Amino acid sequence: MIDGKKSLFSGMQATGTITLGNYLGALKNWVNIDQNEYKCFYSVVDMHSITVRQDPAELRKRARSLFALYIAAGLDPEENCIYYQSHVSAHAELMWILNCFTYMGEMNRMTQFKDKSKKHPENINTGLFTYPVLMAADILLYQSDVVPVGIDQMQHLEITRDIAERFNHIYGDVFTIPEAYLGKTGTKIMSLQEPTKKMSKSDENANAHILLLDEPDVIMRKFKKAVTDSDACIAYSEDKPGVKNLIDIYCAISGKKTQEAVAEFEGKGYGDLKKIVGETVVEELRPIQERYNDLMKNKDYLNQMIKDNGEKANYYATKTLRKVQHKVGFPDRIR
Ligand code: TYM
């Protein structure tokens, strides 16, 4: 709890323009959260991004672009604390402390570490290994009750809970134990080219993902090329992953139930399905892209929001950090 409201934290990496998967699995749900009920913190987690080599100028550009996209998607930066993770040093400080309460064996089990190590065998750094501890610090700093994420982050949420419970067991009730919040739909959007793999911005095949800033004709073209199957019948089933994914995307945007959508497509072909889903996505993203383009021109406003919210986040994060530092036995600051 923070200021009498439940606290909520989530974040996204600034490693590229976010995908339709990031949007439907996370950002769209964030926008629908009731701000009267929750105090919300949304971070552009640039510190996580450097676990993989980044071009510095490009990372700065992408972080700003993501900051603007959060707002363009509908998060009011006066109501929600939207900030850069690297502007709040408490994240790194708490991470160090939590590292000392996390076991090698636990980290060894993390599937994301295994996947990313395979992908970047030339750079298996310790940051990649302890990545989930930084995530735990992000979440626990804001005493988060709820963390809205896609399914791929569930293992990291579980380890966060384990670390928090271990710490609380030793030092008393220091951290709120967070719960994951999964949306009803869109929690795992798949690649348009290999629909058994999740849609990811790091996919080298540009046709595999829809990026939030893709132009309408690019979106339509990517859907047209989406992999389905040799059958011609539109059905929602695990053995038709390509078609299932298109229906999932359609339902996540339209709010329709699966059966309702399947009935709507009855008698239609795959070409129609791809066209309708493509158009639905274009119309969903159009106002976001327009707001984004305006915002990026409004430098002073963005800078002000970055500064104000960075200060706000620092205030709340430092409060928790000081408590933790005291608990573990660090000397109190002299005022
Ligand atoms: P990231 O940047 O990979 O993804 C951001 C959010 O998007 C969700 N997501 C998806 N949802 C549905 N379908 C997909 N294909 C898809 N791809 C991604 C993710 O589940 C996530 O919610 N480690 C995190 C960022 C992070 C974080 C945190 C999240 C850092 N600290 C603390 C929550 C709380 C990450 O790399 O997400």
Side-chain angles (χ1 to χ4, degrees):
M1 296 283 277
I2 282 191
D3 296 346
K5 287 184 187 175
K6 280 191 231 161
S7 171
L8 180 152
F9 179 92
S10 203
M12 281 191 194
Q13 289 211 52
T15 36
T17 304
I18 57 170
T19 68
L20 186 63
N22 297 129
Y23 175 70
L24 296 178
L27 189 50
K28 189 170 164 68
N29 292 329
W30 301 356
V31 172
N32 291 329
I33 301 238
D34 180 1
Q35 273 132 34
N36 295 321
E37 205 181 332
Y38 292 96
K39 183 101 185 166
C40 300
F41 297 87
Y42 297 114
S43 188
V44 172
V45 293
D46 46 359
M47 286 164 67
H48 279 91
S49 300
I50 62 162
T51 50
V52 174
R53 289 277 175 273
Q54 303 291 334
D55 175 76
E58 195 59 28
L59 178 59
R60 243 186 303 279
K61 210 169 105 191
R62 285 173 168 168
R64 190 173 175 92
S65 164
L66 183 54
F67 191 99
L69 262 176
Y70 281 2
I71 302 174
L75 295 176
D76 179 348
E78 316 250 358
E79 296 290 332
N80 301 278
C81 186
I82 301 174
Y83 71 98
Y84 293 136
Q85 183 186 31
S86 63
H87 284 190
V88 182
S89 57
H91 286 254
E93 292 181 72
L94 181 62
M95 183 204 185
W96 173 252
I97 296 174
L98 297 182
N99 266 333
C100 303
F101 293 84
T102 307
Y103 298 116
M104 296 289 286
E106 288 175 309
M107 290 294 100
N108 273 326
R109 286 199 297 275
M110 296 291 115
T111 51
Q112 187 172 300
F113 172 68
K114 291 182 198 158
D115 294 347
K116 286 206 175 167
S117 312
K118 267 192 220 140
K119 228 170 158 185
H120 303 280
E122 74 301 342
N123 181 21
I124 306 178
N125 59 72
T126 47
L128 198 58
F129 187 65
T130 54
Y131 180 112
V133 188
L134 181 56
M135 250 184 91
D138 301 341
I139 294 167
L140 300 177
L141 266 181
Y142 300 93
Q143 301 293 356
S144 312
D145 295 274
V146 178
V147 184
V149 281
I151 279 179
D152 63 335
Q153 296 301 319
M154 290 304 280
Q155 198 184 30
H156 292 158
L157 248 289
E158 276 153 29
I159 190 92
T160 299
R161 291 168 56 91
D162 291 345
I163 297 170
E165 275 166 6
R166 182 172 306 141
F167 195 95
N168 282 357
H169 187 68
I170 304 172
Y171 298 107
D173 274 346
V174 178
F175 295 123
T176 303
I177 308 297
E179 300 275 350
Y181 168 84
L182 288 175
K184 287 194 190 74
T185 50
T187 55
K188 194 169 184 190
I189 300 299
M190 309 309 269
S191 154
L192 295 184
Q193 289 299 310
E194 288 176 76
T196 49
K197 255 177 51 184
K198 84 165 179 175
M199 183 181 283
S200 162
K201 53 186 167 248
S202 59
D203 202 316
E204 274 155 25
N205 182 351
N207 288 324
H209 48 55
I210 302 290
L211 301 181
L212 241 64
L213 297 174
D214 276 347
E215 304 269 342
D217 58 328
V218 174
I219 296 175
M220 293 308 289
R221 184 161 32 85
K222 287 183 180 177
F223 274 109
K224 205 169 169 191
K225 288 191 178 149
V227 168
T228 44
D229 50 55
S230 53
D231 200 11
C233 153
I234 299 177
Y236 190 83
S237 128
E238 292 298 335
D239 55 3
K240 294 167 82 64
V243 173
K244 177 174 179 285
N245 190 37
L246 293 176
I247 297 175
D248 279 338
I249 292 172
Y250 183 68
C251 290
I253 295 177
S254 65
K256 290 182 183 160
K257 298 228 164 66
T258 310
Q259 287 324 314
E260 206 183 325
V262 173
E264 197 180 315
F265 290 119
E266 208 183 310
K268 294 201 164 73
Y270 286 173
D272 300 315
L273 173 69
K274 291 177 185 180
K275 185 164 175 282
I276 294 171
V277 177
E279 283 166 354
T280 308
V281 171
V282 166
E283 289 319 314
E284 174 80 2
L285 299 188
R286 192 189 301 281
I288 298 177
Q289 296 182 350
E290 282 169 6
R291 278 197 295 271
Y292 171 83
N293 290 331
D294 285 346
L295 271 167
M296 289 304 276
K297 284 183 216 138
N298 204 338
K299 281 200 182 111
D300 292 346
Y301 173 73
L302 270 187
N303 288 345
Q304 193 63 50
M305 290 303 115
I306 289 168
K307 183 171 178 288
D308 291 353
N309 280 323
E311 283 166 7
K312 247 187 247 167
N314 256 302
Y315 169 80
Y316 291 108
T318 305
K319 252 176 136 172
T320 302
L321 180 66
R322 294 287 175 262
K323 193 169 167 187
V324 173
Q325 287 172 326
H326 179 80
K327 289 282 182 185
V328 297
F330 294 169
D332 292 326
R333 270 145 227 263
I334 315 285
R335 281 171 210 285

